Amino acid sequence: MAVEERLSQATKLEFGQPKQMQVQFFDTQDCALTRASMLLRSREKLGKTPRITLKIRNTDMLAVKTMPIGLSRTGETAFQDDYGIGPTGKPSSDFSKSFSFDDTPPKTLSELAQSIHNLHEIVPFQGNSVLQAGPRVAQTAYASEPLPMSAKRKIRLEATLWYPADGGKPLAGDVSFTLEAPFDYGELQAADKLLLDLAKQLGPLKGPSAEKALAVIPESCR
């Protein structure tokens, strides 16, 4: 695999067995979620109930943390920094907050609002705002064995590739890792160096954007 070969030049990587699932993104015809910096995703493992996730993304941490919406049902809420190489070619933060629950994909924004309270405050919509599906894709994710990032911390790198559900060339891919707080300045410097080394080795394979979802949201919203 070309991505794995290039990564191994930058780090001493050993990947475990790949994990596979089906992925699909949704938005309205007028791209209400995309315009609100949101993504609505369904991930489905064979024989399992789909995992529905609504994600908010913003480079402003305060804007993400104070967004007045939340889950109104059983599920998980997560806040993280999707730290990566920014448009300037230097490491930068892209914060996200996500709300996840197990269910079949909602058919309208009104149906989604039954699981996400105050959604109407962020995404004004009419009762008939139908959610359109983007292409259904097959996801293959490779997680590395623990990799020393600094003297005090180890991380796992994850390489994710998306393919058309009926086969063919990859639609999108990325390499990422997550830093769990708290961490110190020295660890951030180590993360910067690791990211820059990876970007150098990946070359054009790293793509023009860290957000691979842009390749598979409904076509009218790209």
Side-chain angles (χ1 to χ4, degrees):
M1 179 173 105
V3 172
E4 186 174 346
E5 290 173 0
R6 286 182 180 248
L7 286 172
S8 65
Q9 297 175 26
T11 61
K12 300 298 183 181
L13 283 180
E14 293 184 14
F15 285 99
Q17 291 297 312
K19 295 181 180 179
Q20 297 180 319
M21 62 184 69
Q22 298 287 313
V23 180
Q24 199 164 28
F25 283 79
F26 302 84
D27 207 337
T28 61
Q29 186 173 7
D30 62 351
C31 309
L33 294 174
T34 299
R35 288 188 284 106
S37 298
M38 292 184 176
L39 293 167
L40 180 62
R41 178 187 69 210
S42 170
R43 279 182 173 168
E44 184 177 352
K45 296 180 181 179
L46 184 63
K48 301 290 186 180
T49 302
R51 184 71 162 174
I52 309 302
T53 297
L54 179 68
K55 178 182 280 192
I56 307 165
R57 302 196 71 168
N58 198 310
T59 55
D60 184 342
M61 180 174 65
L62 187 61
V64 173
K65 275 201 164 185
T66 58
M67 194 75 69
I69 65 174
L71 278 172
S72 56
R73 58 178 296 168
T74 301
E76 295 180 357
T77 299
F79 175 79
Q80 68 185 59
D81 181 356
D82 297 320
Y83 200 58
I85 303 297
T88 63
K90 296 181 179 180
S92 64
S93 292
D94 189 9
F95 300 99
S96 69
K97 192 171 186 178
S98 60
F99 308 93
S100 301
F101 53 92
D102 296 332
D103 206 342
T104 55
K107 294 180 174 59
T108 65
L109 283 180
S110 294
E111 188 178 338
L112 177 63
Q114 295 175 19
S115 299
I116 308 291
H117 65 73
N118 294 334
L119 181 64
H120 207 296
E121 292 188 18
I122 310 302
V123 188
F125 59 88
Q126 303 300 318
N128 59 351
S129 296
V130 176
L131 288 165
Q132 302 180 106
R136 193 170 178 85
V137 300
Q139 173 180 298
T140 300
Y142 298 85
S144 75
E145 295 301 317
L147 175 73
M149 189 193 74
S150 67
K152 297 187 295 182
R153 187 185 294 267
K154 291 184 178 181
I155 58 171
R156 289 180 185 271
L157 289 176
E158 185 171 281
T160 304
L161 296 176
W162 285 356
Y163 296 87
D166 55 358
K169 295 181 179 180
L171 292 168
D174 70 7
V175 177
S176 62
F177 63 86
T178 301
L179 283 179
E180 299 292 342
F183 40 80
D184 58 34
Y185 180 68
E187 290 176 314
L188 284 179
Q189 286 184 308
D192 285 356
K193 182 179 184 306
L194 178 57
L195 277 173
L196 291 170
D197 286 346
L198 290 171
K200 180 179 178 181
Q201 294 299 334
L202 285 172
L205 289 178
K206 71 179 183 297
S209 169
E211 184 45 77
K212 61 185 181 298
L214 296 178
V216 294
I217 59 176
E219 190 171 358
S220 60
C221 301
R222 298 176 198 173

